[in-house]
Amino acid sequence: MIFRSHPNFRTLRKFLYLLYPRPCLRLKHKHPLCLYIQAHNYVNVHMKWKKDINFDAIESINKSIELKPLISLKNCIANSPNGCIPISDVSKRGLQLDVHCKVARFLRLYPSVFEEFIGPDYNLPWFRLTRKAIELDQEEKAIYREFRDDIQCRLKKFVLMSGERRLPLKIIKGMQWYLGLPDEYLDDPEKNLDGRFRIVDMEDGLKGIAVDCEDIILSFVQRNAMRSGVCQGRLEEVVEFPLFPSKGMRLKRKIGDWFDKFHEVPYVSPYEEYWGLDSDSDVAEKRVVGVLYEMLGLFVEHAAERKKLLCLKKYMGLPQKFHKVFERHPYIFYLSMMNKTCTTILKEPYCNKVSIEAHPLSEIRKRYIGLMKESTIILKRRRFNNQFRHQHNHNLNQDTGPLHDRGTEAVAHN
């Protein structure tokens, strides 16, 4: 309250009249002020992370940080004309191949895949593939030829999820490992891709890939719902995400009520236009969940490092802090903290293996992991043999030492 006896009463009153119109000061509104506040069902969910050993123990995800550089080095050797390379060809390409140590040391860690020998020049170490690695490489190339259409279909869906139905080549190369594309696949896209893809120019002088498609594409969620008779694949249908709670996880009543209301919101397919959605509404969040769900469903391991997905928010129409969706929906996604990184895992393919078909490369990568385990056994056997040989030589030296001394004394006495 401003008293009239105040020396600056008139100045303050003029200032208040400029900020607030007269009807507002006199409380002569026709409707209460609360009616002008927009209401949302958004609840600031803060879920405490719950460890799940079943997802932390998935080998195909935990070993991918070592498997990716191993396959890249395997391809360098397999694509060489002689089937072998000197260490100098790859020693300075560690960052490019995602090798986090010296390349020579990494190659020697897997003797079941890489065989070392002395080259013809300058006594440099050379490397070639073992017999098992060569057979596995041939099977991998046969899978690329046999399932070429399926791999291209996954790439097509990945591009169609973007708002403009085109993505820069560097973004697709960053997701190349997760999509299961060969290393040299995008070096010549016009040769390897069919007529559904076009090479276009994008902003900042970047080259991109665009897809022309007039057909209606159904997501994994829609196809599973149609299979069970829940929906008919039409627009703005209410489709619920399958939930897989971890053991021992309990939700607060406030969060549980929000979850129930969230599933009653219409489902927006990741292949539909999303312009005009309120970013703070539950419909927009359900679309973000659908995009991440569909994206992880297309990947080989149905998982990806969370930081690798940040480059997609501009092109997929994702909000600034979309990574919080993984924390708000722990029944759909799981965050694994193994290998000193945060990996997002889609739960459904591992809890219900019928709902989402496995990627053609998933089995071949598991066989590469089997070779990595054989390397661990070989290295242990080598260390044991070296230790036994060293101990044997040490015992021989102890046994022959006194005899040598007696012989020396006899010669000196004579």
Side-chain angles (χ1 to χ4, degrees), residues 184-409:
E184 69 282 355
Y185 197 74
L186 297 176
D187 294 340
D188 191 359
E190 295 181 351
K191 175 183 177 182
N192 296 322
L193 299 177
D194 56 21
R196 295 174 294 181
F197 299 89
R198 292 184 293 108
I199 306 299
V200 296
D201 295 326
M202 303 189 68
E203 63 274 7
D204 300 331
L206 298 175
K207 291 290 184 179
I209 293 180
V211 177
D212 298 326
C213 181
E214 300 296 335
D215 301 332
I216 298 177
I217 299 179
L218 298 177
S219 63
F220 290 116
V221 177
Q222 289 175 320
R223 282 192 293 172
N224 293 334
M226 291 177 63
R227 195 178 303 160
S228 59
V230 177
C231 76
Q232 300 178 357
R234 294 177 297 184
L235 298 177
E236 297 184 359
E237 278 189 301
V238 177
V239 183
E240 297 184 2
F241 292 102
L243 304 180
F244 301 93
S246 298
K247 186 178 180 180
M249 181 178 290
R250 298 291 183 268
L251 297 180
K252 296 180 180 179
R253 179 175 296 180
K254 177 182 178 182
I255 300 176
D257 295 340
W258 174 78
F259 263 112
D260 296 336
K261 294 180 181 179
F262 176 80
H263 288 292
E264 297 175 358
V265 174
Y267 173 79
V268 180
S269 173
Y271 305 107
E272 298 176 10
E273 294 183 357
Y274 56 89
W275 314 112
L277 291 179
D278 187 0
S279 59
D280 293 333
S281 63
D282 288 339
V283 179
E285 180 165 357
K286 194 165 186 178
R287 180 202 167 263
V288 174
V289 174
V291 170
L292 297 174
Y293 183 100
E294 186 76 9
M295 188 186 306
L296 294 176
L298 295 174
F299 291 167
V300 179
E301 288 91 11
H302 309 296
E305 291 186 41
R306 187 172 64 173
K307 63 182 180 181
K308 295 291 183 67
L309 303 177
L310 297 178
C311 62
L312 299 172
K313 59 186 178 183
K314 174 182 176 182
Y315 303 99
M316 299 292 184
L318 303 176
Q320 183 68 23
K321 296 183 178 181
F322 75 92
H323 59 274
K324 291 188 175 293
V325 170
F326 302 126
E327 304 170 8
R328 289 168 58 85
H329 299 274
Y331 287 179
I332 303 175
F333 308 103
Y334 177 73
L335 295 178
S336 175
M337 304 299 176
M338 302 294 289
N339 298 323
K340 298 180 181 180
T341 185
C342 183
T343 303
T344 303
I345 304 174
L346 183 64
K347 283 188 170 184
E348 185 173 6
Y350 296 97
C351 298
N352 184 11
K353 297 183 179 180
V354 183
S355 59
I356 299 178
E357 59 271 14
H359 196 281
L361 286 178
S362 59
E363 288 299 324
I364 204 73
R365 288 188 179 180
K366 291 179 182 178
R367 295 181 60 185
Y368 276 113
I369 294 174
L371 280 182
M372 294 168 64
K373 291 181 179 179
E374 290 184 17
S375 297
T376 305
I377 298 174
I378 294 173
L379 293 177
K380 286 183 179 180
R381 191 179 302 154
R382 285 181 181 177
R383 285 194 294 266
F384 177 78
N385 293 336
N386 291 336
Q387 184 180 2
F388 178 77
R389 191 180 301 111
H390 176 74
Q391 185 68 24
H392 181 67
N393 294 335
H394 180 68
N395 294 336
L396 287 177
N397 292 333
Q398 286 184 345
D399 294 338
T400 58
L403 294 176
H404 179 71
D405 293 340
R406 294 193 194 99
T408 305
E409 292 176 358

Side-chain angles (χ1 to χ4, degrees), residues 6-41:
H6 196 279
N8 297 326
F9 170 76
R10 292 185 178 180
T11 305
L12 291 173
R13 186 175 64 176
K14 290 181 180 179
F15 179 74
L16 290 175
Y17 274 117
L18 291 175
L19 288 178
Y20 305 99
R22 287 176 180 266
C24 182
L25 284 177
R26 297 179 183 178
L27 299 177
K28 292 184 179 180
H29 276 90
K30 294 182 180 181
H31 304 287
L33 290 175
C34 61
L35 294 180
Y36 294 97
I37 300 175
Q38 187 176 4
H40 291 280
N41 294 329

Side-chain angles (χ1 to χ4, degrees), residues 80-146:
S80 63
N82 300 324
C84 57
I85 59 171
I87 187 59
S88 58
D89 285 3
V90 291
S91 59
K92 297 183 179 180
R93 297 174 58 189
L95 293 177
Q96 179 184 353
L97 300 172
D98 287 337
V99 180
H100 302 290
C101 61
K102 289 186 177 181
V103 179
R105 181 189 174 191
F106 184 86
L107 290 168
R108 290 169 181 145
L109 285 175
Y110 303 102
S112 63
V113 182
F114 308 107
E115 183 180 348
E116 182 179 359
F117 63 98
I118 300 300
D121 300 328
Y122 308 108
N123 292 329
L124 288 176
W126 284 55
F127 291 91
R128 59 189 169 214
L129 298 179
T130 60
R131 180 180 56 81
K132 291 183 178 180
I134 293 174
E135 294 175 357
L136 201 53
D137 176 70
Q138 293 174 353
E139 293 182 20
E140 182 183 3
K141 292 178 179 178
I143 288 177
Y144 282 129
R145 292 191 298 268
E146 183 179 357

